[in-house]
Amino acid sequence: LNIDTTSPMQGMLSKLRKPVVYVPLALFGTGTAVMYFRFKDEVPYTGRSRLMFWDPVHDEKVGKDLYADMLRKAGTLPTNHPDVEFVAKVAKRITKHVDRKIKWEVAVLQSPEINACVLPGGKICVHQGIIRQFPSTEEFAVIMSHEIAHEVARHSMEKMSYSGLLSVISLFFISALSGAFGAAYISKLGLMAFMLPYSRSTETEADYIGLQLLAKACYDPRVAEKVWKKMEYVTSGKSHVPEYLSTHPAHQSRAANISKWMPEALLAYNNRDCPALRDACDSVSRWMD
């Protein structure tokens, strides 16, 4: 009776020692370096370097198709509805401070979901549920500035760029390590090690950029910390997964980051011709009473 006592780790190391692995690995490394310098891009506000395979002219096409599909699946309010006018007014005040020329569009979906997004090309989609939970202008401006920040940073197109690259990387590792680990295990490892942390990092980046946009638009940036604390409160009935298993940072983490960035945001606010800040954000603090 022959029993294979080789551990998965020993099997992996044995496979990596084979010369047949070195050539693809070298080619992969060289190709990655070439792609990095060819498609290197920088995120506005943060200066983070990243790969971007898509030119901004593609954003409109991608967003238009997604926008049409979303509107088909959900009922939308007419443009003269108070909720649409409310969203459009807040969005216009914030987008005035976006440097890139974007054709912004607004749609409010007849849905109780507490959600909003901005699709590539400036397609703003807001569910009625989030307006009901954050009805004041300053509260909603925090939500809107965060979503607009995703478009400023072109996070959707960045994720499309990385998805293609990660698919190639996954195929390489599945091919190289399939003898030691199963394909499903490698895919889950990739999700935990790369995709989820990456997604959380883009959300954090959007929080930072959104806070800057909020201040530039002369909305009180101090409201942001209270809004993320309130978000935890209004979504408390939903099941929550640990932060390391989530695509988004925990609300407590977001509030802590906002607090850390607040001096910079207040400086940006005070450097503009904005009204003097109130001593207290009464319109937001009422939910805590």
Side-chain angles (χ1 to χ4, degrees):
L1 180 63
N2 293 322
I3 300 176
D4 185 4
T5 58
T6 304
S7 69
M9 183 57 68
Q10 288 173 323
M12 180 184 72
L13 293 174
S14 174
K15 204 157 182 54
L16 287 175
R17 289 191 194 103
K18 294 180 180 179
V20 72
V21 175
Y22 295 148
V23 175
L25 190 60
L27 291 174
F28 174 76
T30 303
T32 300
V34 170
M35 279 197 301
Y36 178 77
F37 289 106
R38 169 64 180 82
F39 298 103
K40 183 181 177 183
D41 186 49
E42 191 172 277
V43 179
Y45 288 91
T46 65
R48 175 175 62 88
S49 295
R50 46 116 179 253
L51 287 175
M52 178 63 75
F53 298 153
W54 301 90
D55 190 88
V57 297
H58 291 91
D59 295 18
E60 175 68 24
K61 174 66 170 64
V62 172
K64 185 178 180 181
D65 293 342
L66 292 172
Y67 190 60
D69 186 57
M70 183 174 285
L71 298 188
R72 266 197 310 269
K73 293 177 180 178
T76 58
L77 298 176
T79 55
N80 62 349
H81 190 281
D83 283 350
V84 180
E85 293 176 347
F86 170 70
V87 172
K89 183 178 179 180
V90 173
K92 183 178 180 180
R93 183 167 157 181
I94 296 170
T95 55
K96 279 198 309 184
H97 303 281
V98 175
D99 295 332
R100 187 158 51 94
K101 188 177 180 181
I102 299 172
K103 184 181 177 182
W104 301 96
E105 295 181 53
V106 172
V108 177
L109 310 180
Q110 294 176 308
S111 163
E113 188 177 346
I114 304 173
N115 201 6
C117 68
V118 177
L119 300 172
K123 309 297 187 284
I124 300 171
C125 297
V126 177
H127 295 254
Q128 270 189 302
I130 202 164
I131 300 174
R132 296 292 171 266
Q133 295 295 339
F134 300 94
S136 79
T137 301
E138 287 188 329
E139 285 181 303
F140 186 73
V142 175
I143 304 298
M144 200 79 274
S145 64
H146 169 83
E147 300 302 338
I148 290 170
H150 277 303
E151 176 59 13
V152 169
R154 299 184 66 215
H155 282 155
S156 294
M157 303 307 290
E158 179 184 345
K159 287 177 181 178
M160 287 178 61
S161 298
Y162 275 115
S163 292
L165 182 61
L166 287 172
S167 295
V168 174
I169 294 173
S170 297
L171 287 173
F172 169 79
F173 278 105
I174 288 172
S175 174
L177 305 177
S178 58
F181 299 100
Y185 180 86
I186 295 172
S187 297
K188 288 179 181 178
L189 185 64
L191 179 68
M192 290 280 293
F194 299 106
M195 289 307 294
L196 291 179
Y198 165 69
S199 180
R200 291 193 296 272
S201 72
T202 59
E203 291 298 327
T204 299
E205 189 169 56
D207 285 344
Y208 173 79
I209 296 173
L211 193 64
Q212 299 301 311
L213 292 173
L214 200 66
K216 282 188 173 185
C218 290
Y219 286 113
D220 187 344
R222 297 174 300 175
V223 178
E225 185 178 353
K226 296 178 182 293
V227 164
W228 291 118
K229 289 179 179 178
K230 179 177 177 179
M231 184 69 81
E232 182 178 15
Y233 173 78
V234 300
T235 59
S236 59
K238 296 184 178 181
S239 59
H240 291 280
V241 296
E243 183 173 305
Y244 67 90
L245 292 175
S246 176
T247 57
H248 288 60
H251 299 311
Q252 306 98 308
S253 299
R254 302 178 88 157
N257 283 331
I258 294 293
S259 179
K260 181 176 64 178
W261 301 325
M262 192 54 59
E264 187 180 353
L266 289 173
L267 182 62
Y269 183 96
N270 292 325
N271 283 341
R272 306 190 69 82
D273 188 21
C274 298
L277 291 170
R278 300 191 306 270
D279 290 335
C281 303
D282 296 332
S283 62
V284 181
S285 62
R286 281 201 303 267
W287 72 269
M288 300 177 69
D289 295 340

